[in-house]
Amino acid sequence: YAAELGPRHIKVGFGVDSAAWDFDKVRDRLGELSHQFETTGTLLAVEPMPYADVKNPKVAIELIESVGARNLGIVVDFWHATRSGVNPSDLAAIPVDRIVVVELADGFSTALEPLIVDCIDNRALPGEGDFPVVEMVRVLSQAGYAGPWSVEMLSTSFRAMPAKEGIEKAASATRRLVAAGRTPDRY
């Protein structure tokens, strides 16, 4: 249906902590998927998640580069990156031409357990948690990232808001943090 709907990109996720995930098998399947979407112009964006088989950006880039498809890249989600132990400076190692989209998200220094519950129920709007969101935007901007910035906001309190209010708050927070991160550091 991608040809009919015309999405810019589709996120690709992986099994949640499969004890025996097979890199070669996953690489081959990802290669098949990327080939299927070549003609549609749709990008496939691998999303590393700390509780999944592809846990961090480093593993995602290794997987993407092993496939070698031009329409294959990575989602840089600040919540997932932070929870997988990625420091802002580590983001500079991600080839910017492989970043399909950046998802701003914030969280708290103490995570709920299991981690997937923290992911789904305990995020904060960008700038309202403890994560170094502005610094992460700054690192990616200075590395040359010029693609889309978005927000992924999941929390019980956010879901309780009226939709219009939640959308406006998420959009405002995202714009504010991207602007702050793109402003040159004067110190």
Side-chain angles (χ1 to χ4, degrees):
Y1 296 103
E4 295 172 29
L5 297 174
R8 176 188 178 275
H9 67 271
I10 296 172
K11 292 197 308 184
V12 178
F14 298 89
V16 176
D17 277 335
S18 304
W21 83 286
D22 182 331
F23 184 93
D24 293 337
K25 186 176 181 179
V26 171
R27 179 203 58 225
D28 293 347
R29 182 64 183 125
L30 197 54
E32 292 169 12
L33 279 174
S34 65
H35 181 71
Q36 289 175 355
F37 285 96
E38 277 178 332
T39 59
T40 68
T42 303
L43 301 170
L44 295 179
V46 171
E47 184 167 28
M49 296 178 271
Y51 48 78
D53 294 336
V54 178
K55 295 191 178 314
N56 58 53
K58 182 179 179 189
V59 174
I61 291 299
E62 288 172 11
L63 185 60
I64 290 163
E65 289 180 350
S66 74
V67 173
R70 291 188 341 227
N71 65 333
L72 189 57
I74 185 172
V75 175
V76 177
D77 178 310
F78 289 175
W79 186 93
H80 291 302
T82 301
R83 287 291 189 233
S84 68
V86 172
N87 294 311
S89 60
D90 298 335
L91 296 175
I94 300 172
V96 292
D97 63 329
R98 287 297 194 172
I99 301 174
V100 173
V101 63
V102 174
E103 294 178 344
L104 277 73
D106 211 332
F108 304 100
S109 54
T110 302
L112 298 178
E113 294 296 333
L115 202 51
I116 196 164
V117 171
D118 193 61
C119 174
I120 296 168
D121 290 343
N122 198 38
R123 292 189 189 205
L125 286 169
E128 294 183 5
D130 301 324
F131 292 0
V133 178
V134 171
E135 189 177 350
M136 295 170 98
V137 170
R138 184 170 291 124
V139 167
L140 290 172
S141 293
Q142 290 174 348
Y145 177 70
W149 302 88
S150 70
V151 62
E152 185 170 81
M153 183 54 202
L154 302 166
S155 77
T156 53
S157 61
F158 189 75
R159 286 189 293 276
M161 281 184 208
K164 184 176 185 208
E165 178 185 349
I167 291 167
E168 288 171 353
K169 283 185 172 192
S172 176
T174 302
R175 286 186 193 106
R176 185 175 61 253
L177 273 283
V178 168
R182 287 181 158 175
T183 302
D185 191 356
R186 298 178 190 191
Y187 305 102

